[in-house]
Amino acid sequence: MPTSLVLERKGELSLRDIALDQTLTPTDVRIAVRTVGVCGSDVHYYTHGKIGPFVVTEPMVLGHEASGVVIEVGAQVTHLKVGDRVCMEPGIPDPTSRASKLGIYNVDPAVRFWATPPIHGCLTPEVVHPAAFTYLLPDNVSFAEGAMVEPFAIGMQAALRARIQPGDIGMVVGAGPIGMMTALAALAGGCAKVYVADLAQPKLDIIGAYPGIETINIRNTPADEAIAKATGGWGADVVFECSGAAPAILGLPKLARPGGGIVLVGMPVDPVPFDIVGLQAKELRVDTVFRYANVYDRAVSLIAAGKVDLTPLISLTMPFADSIAAFDRAAEGRETDVKIQIEMPAA
């Protein structure tokens, strides 16, 4: 049995052997895991034991942001071979479902997503994964960057939902990892400039170092005042809400221009109020994001082409042997941390 990082129950992690189903079907590949990112959802399961209706009721292996090396291929797999460096899309939908047929497999009710109860994640030496959701990494993309594709894919999904036009002014509320990914995806998607608002100056300093990004510290200036000043009172063309904070969501209509768009990316813990009349008065378009669909290959291509550099967002890399400490560090929520990664032992 492989030694894995196991969430035993709320607040308790262990490194131990656990039985996993690693049967290889003809359409699967077996992958030696190399790098895994620590995601906010992983940490939330650790600290709270649940996210909405998904409750940890039995031991579960954590981790869903991963890259690795193919070590075995199924009989029907033709686009990958042993030795290929890859990243893995962690959600596995039912290909026959109505959602999958519509191309929105991310909202397939039957999707099996790594480290979402009761599905085990990838903080384990090897995983078996469908080849159709396994993507080749170009030579100039590192394992660390490969493990960043998953969170960047959320930003990509948000940018696509925003229907960005070349030259748009974007606004991101919340400079957490997903907010930063969304800002970079919005730039890559055609925004001329993206403003990022938060109250944590260290995080704003990190994302503000990118060309095309301007930052707003809302401790000093309200976000609506700052974006009004920057746009001559007009507002942002597209606004991405990435904080999940109730006051930020209530204030969204003040940030967008008339006829603009709002994309809800952050997930509030509880239901929050929404200013419907404020939206109506500007005829604002509201879109929502849940994970991603059909963007993984695009994300890899942007990274490989040098259009997006995610390496400055990797704050710390720790060995698998110290993965419990890595989760404890992530749970601290330090303002200087963006993405913590765990490096698996090379086979």
Side-chain angles (χ1 to χ4, degrees), residues 42-206:
D42 296 320
V43 175
H44 200 84
Y45 282 123
Y46 174 33
T47 57
H48 292 79
K50 64 178 182 178
I51 296 177
F54 302 104
V55 181
V56 178
T57 58
E58 56 188 27
M60 179 181 75
V61 176
L62 289 173
H64 64 265
E65 304 173 2
S67 61
V69 179
V70 175
I71 55 175
E72 186 180 359
V73 299
Q76 296 178 19
V77 177
T78 58
H79 71 287
L80 294 170
K81 65 182 185 304
V82 171
D84 280 346
R85 300 163 61 258
V86 295
C87 63
M88 299 81 86
E89 184 172 349
I92 307 169
D94 174 3
T96 67
S97 74
R98 191 168 184 176
S100 293
K101 290 178 180 178
L102 289 171
I104 51 174
Y105 61 81
N106 53 316
V107 291
D108 176 7
V111 69
R112 296 169 58 84
F113 200 92
W114 277 348
T116 299
I119 309 303
H120 288 298
C122 59
L123 272 164
T124 189
E126 297 178 5
V127 294
V128 171
H129 200 60
F133 292 89
T134 302
Y135 301 85
L136 185 67
L137 293 178
D139 292 341
N140 65 331
V141 178
S142 67
F143 287 119
E145 291 172 298
M148 294 287 275
V149 171
E150 197 280 339
F152 184 56
I154 298 172
M156 291 280 291
Q157 182 80 359
L160 287 170
R161 298 288 285 171
R163 301 174 229 176
I164 294 168
Q165 297 295 313
D168 273 354
I169 299 299
M171 171 114 189
V172 172
V173 181
I178 297 304
M180 294 190 193
M181 300 289 182
T182 300
L184 296 176
L187 280 179
C191 279
K193 184 177 290 187
V194 176
Y195 292 84
V196 179
D198 202 286
L199 45 74
Q201 190 59 46
K203 293 189 184 299
L204 293 174
D205 291 341
I206 293 168

Side-chain angles (χ1 to χ4, degrees), residues 248-265:
I249 293 169
L250 191 59
L252 287 173
K254 295 180 180 179
L255 304 177
R257 68 162 172 83
I262 289 172
V263 183
L264 301 177
V265 187

